[in-house]
Amino acid sequence: LGGEARWGYPGNDAPMIGVPLEKLSLKKNLLVACINRNGRILTPRGKDTIEVGDTVIIVTTNTGLNDLKDILA
């Protein structure tokens, strides 16, 4: 299938901070699988946001994702 799971940590200047996932323009073939916020695992839905301090798990078939900002289209 060729997919992989990646994780990232948003910085203070990350453009997705505080923006509901449903409003983000994400690359195709990409899933925000879970958000770890202060040790609590969230299954993300459209109204959820990524915040500073979160660990975000991404599942994708895309290559070259080196920073959480790279998930944006």
Side-chain angles (χ1 to χ4, degrees):
L1 295 170
E4 64 178 46
R6 306 287 306 231
W7 62 92
Y9 312 96
N12 293 331
D13 63 341
M16 74 279 297
I17 295 296
V19 179
L21 294 175
E22 65 188 9
K23 304 243 184 213
L24 292 175
S25 178
L26 300 175
K27 290 184 176 175
K28 293 184 182 207
N29 301 316
L30 184 140
L31 171 71
V32 179
C34 75
I35 299 171
N36 181 333
R37 181 168 297 146
N38 299 318
R40 186 170 155 231
I41 303 299
L42 307 175
T43 301
R45 296 176 177 252
K47 305 268 187 239
D48 289 319
T49 60
I50 296 172
E51 302 296 337
V52 174
D54 288 351
T55 301
V56 183
I57 306 297
I58 304 295
V59 178
T60 185
T61 57
N62 296 316
T63 58
L65 299 179
N66 299 313
D67 186 278
L68 197 55
K69 294 177 193 174
D70 294 337
I71 69 171
L72 300 175

